[in-house]
Amino acid sequence: INMVLEALRLGADDYLFKPLTNFENVASMIEKQVKKHPVGRPTLTDVELEQLEKIREMITNRDFAMAFQPIFRLDDRSIFGYEALLRPGSTSPQSRPGLLLDLAEHLGIGRELDLVCIEKALESTPLNTPRLFVNIETETLVYPDSLLKVVSLAERFKQPLVLEVTERGTVENLSILLGPCEILRKGK
């Protein structure tokens, strides 16, 4: 994942400015950039390897919960939707959600955790939820396979889904999000 991100930073900007319409072309472009600009992953320390194992265990066992915070309409105080919030479980190396997400990203599995959280939020959404608001990392949005997973989850659970791009990551060029946003709006 980090190799692909670094390769994208080094030479794929021209492609990212254009809307993503063909997933095979995007996958081919990413593969070419990785070959053109190979980047190695730094070696993890023993502590980081232990943390990585704990997060993988947490993901595998789904040892986390989602809390649902209601979002109210101001005019009539009816429920407009719910925001899904991560609550780490007992096997998590971090008890605070933000620190856990930062750690997962640092260890190279941020996207994996992000997608599992979205899936769990959809699985455990309160009945008759008009809209479900979930946070999504920028890194998750720019990968075609992640986009397909999010779209298929929303279709499978037949739940109106609002994706909130987190403020945790930095996006230097907002145009890289135009293609993924277009795909998500169309649901394809």
Side-chain angles (χ1 to χ4, degrees), residues 161-176:
L161 188 62
V162 179
L163 299 175
E164 297 180 33
V165 179
T166 67
E167 62 279 356
R168 293 171 0 85
T170 302
V171 180
E172 292 177 18
N173 186 340
L174 292 177
S175 64
I176 68 168

Side-chain angles (χ1 to χ4, degrees), residues 50-182:
E50 185 179 317
Q51 291 171 329
L52 177 64
E53 185 58 37
K54 285 182 180 181
I55 294 174
R56 286 196 189 281
E57 180 183 338
M58 184 190 80
I59 290 171
T60 300
N61 297 330
R62 303 273 181 123
D63 185 24
F64 59 92
M66 301 307 291
F68 294 92
Q69 177 175 318
I71 301 170
F72 293 96
R73 295 176 53 97
L74 293 177
D75 58 354
D76 64 2
R77 297 186 185 254
S78 64
I79 294 178
F80 182 73
Y82 288 90
E83 181 174 8
L85 304 168
L86 172 64
R87 297 296 177 250
S90 61
T91 59
S92 173
Q94 285 291 339
S95 60
R96 294 177 47 201
L99 295 177
L100 173 62
L101 293 165
D102 286 341
L103 181 60
E105 184 180 332
H106 171 74
L107 297 174
I109 58 170
R111 235 178 6 131
E112 184 180 344
L113 179 59
D114 209 18
L115 290 170
V116 170
C117 287
I118 292 170
E119 184 172 17
K120 185 145 184 180
L122 285 162
E123 289 172 352
S124 51
T125 301
L127 288 175
N128 302 317
T129 296
R131 286 163 205 81
L132 178 63
F133 291 74
V134 296
N135 292 306
I136 189 166
E137 298 293 331
T138 308
E139 179 186 3
T140 305
L141 272 179
V142 297
Y143 282 89
D145 62 326
S146 298
L147 285 177
L148 289 174
K149 173 91 173 172
V150 170
V151 169
S152 72
L153 287 170
E155 289 173 348
R156 185 172 101 209
F157 289 98
K158 297 180 181 4
Q159 173 63 55
L161 188 62
V162 179
L163 299 175
E164 297 180 33
V165 179
T166 67
E167 62 279 356
R168 293 171 0 85
T170 302
V171 180
E172 292 177 18
N173 186 340
L174 292 177
S175 64
I176 68 168
L177 296 177
L178 293 177
C181 288
E182 181 180 318

